Amino acid sequence: MNEFSFHNREKILSELTASQFDLIIIGGGITGAGIALDAASRGLKTALIEKNDFAFGTSSRSTKLIHGGLRYLKQFEFGLVKEVGSERAILHKLAPHLVVPEKMLLPLYEKKGLGYWLTSIGLKVYDLLAGVKPEDQRRMLTKLQTLKYEPLLQHDVKGGAIYAEYRTDDARLTIEIMKTAAQHGSMALNYADVKDFLYSNNTISGVKVEDQLSGRAFSINGKVVVSAAGPWVDELREVNKSKQGKRLHLTKGVHIVLPREKLPVAQAIYFDVEDGRMIFAIPRGRTTYVGTTDTNYEGSKDNVVTSHDDAQYLLNAVNTMFPSLHLKMEDIESSWAGLRPLIHEEGKSASELSRKDEIFESSTGLISIAGGKLTGYRKMAERVVNLVAKKYFNDRDLKECFTDKIKFEASEFANFKEVKQYISAIFQKLKLSGFSELTARYLVENFGIQTDLILKQYDARSAHENPELSLLKAELWFCIQYEMITGLQDFFGRRTGLINFDIHRVIKWKLEIANECKSLLNWSEDKMASELKVLDELIHSVQNFNVETLDTRQ
Ligand code: FAD
């Protein structure tokens, strides 16, 4: 049976309690997943523990770009831009179906933003720092060319620039890295909350965990414990009584999702807003999403939601940029909100804080990593594992980091051309059942070559059922067998992204999918009812923004 099957949970749990690990990682976001892959592939016996679902935290709530962070140039963070900029090409090579090239349009206006020449030089520096291939380097555009790229823009646009970025799905990237780590021997468990640490001679020697599904408490022994708990890093430092010196500064970022026909941008666009910030509008499937806000946050970390002010701020931004559209609150069909776990710097506003990662070590041996970006996860992981290897496993002949060469199971494509050919082959097959090309693209961009497994399952069951439902059930089967989902939110949220990008489909099929879960996961009537209730609350929270604003806008 697959290491990542939900049905394997009991076995994983008993192995976790019975073994002595070299490294225990707390947190199954992109940072934890990256560390697990790096450590396991170098030869460390590794376990990763996540208190919710994998990628439940910030790693399913980002702008979903693998980017160098153009705006960090404005803050003179050349090192950060160089590192994450160069990572883009590596990640595209590792997972061409999941890290997809996306040209970004930057419109230029009189007396707004950096102006033509500074933008031209800035983007050139950006390309050079990131080592972008000549054919992909930035191109400055005349007014006419800019309007041709994006006819929705106002005619007072002075010109523009087009430059290379990549888009991804953050939660899918996290889960694929986690699965690859498991292939290299790492163990991983979701819905397992680290409540405390084990100590021996004043040094951490493991963690005390509570299984969130059964309520059972258990311990895991390990020589080194790394906390990659994102926004929760300081909470664990408090448990370890080591929260001194630097601390986290959480800022909230919100995205809203609109039907593509309401915001029909021809391509991804990055534009200035009145308050000096910059906003993305990114087409994806049948929608366009817009983000992000950046506000100080002090509310609950476990329930971060979009407020009315957040949604209004983003709507105003798009309506100012594209006045002909007259977008209204009712046009928003979904949203998500996440927290940036940044390092506090006295006197700096939310937007001015550095996005650089930092490592803290406590006197009892807890290693915590915070800050950073989705894009830079591989290098962050390398730094942490280098530190662990040097300090604790000097006597072992561990390999050097080689995660830049480890392809994910889902990405057995030599290049992006092969991905496109595969999408087209899948479409040829699916169109016989009435599906559009968008469905083929959705499947391949989410699941890569694992689409074959899903379609085999679909073929086996589609005879007497609505094809759309059949396909969804086949995806569900796959996620239970291979991706450790435990319920509806994991499936509709982090494995398929449907809550964000096709919420109508979630509403249409939630009962049938809940029934299928009931039979595949052995749910009782009560369990099914409570899963549906939680899903309904989630649907309500991403569509309704009447909650109080707990954050402070800068
Ligand atoms: P998380 O993803 O939050 O993972 C931490 C995990 O630890 C959580 O899943 C949590 O449940 C778990 N955990 C906490 N406490 C415990 C415990 N006691 N026991 C067990 N588990 C625990 N970066 C980019 O490169 N590109 C972008 O486009 C981009 N856009 C962004 C937009 C927004 C709005 C935000 C907020 C961030 C964005 N970022 C982007 C940054 C990026 O998303 C984050 O840097 C990254 O996701 C952080 O990942 P993480 O693994 O460190 O934290």
Side-chain angles (χ1 to χ4, degrees), residues 82-93:
K82 183 172 170 28
E83 179 170 300
V84 285
S86 321
E87 279 298 298
R88 298 177 306 176
I90 296 176
L91 300 186
H92 173 61
K93 219 151 102 201

Side-chain angles (χ1 to χ4, degrees), residues 176-197:
E176 292 299 350
I177 297 169
M178 202 82 73
K179 284 158 59 182
T180 311
Q183 283 171 350
H184 284 262
S186 174
M187 305 212 64
L189 191 67
N190 54 1
Y191 292 96
D193 192 350
V194 172
K195 295 285 190 191
D196 205 346
F197 299 96

Side-chain angles (χ1 to χ4, degrees), residues 27 30-31 50-51 58-59 62-63 65 193-194 231 340 372 374-375:
I30 192 87
T31 310
E50 163 57 52
K51 73 170 176 172
T58 310
S59 300
S62 75
T63 308
L65 287 175
D193 192 350
V194 172
R340 301 176 184 85
L374 189 78
T375 311

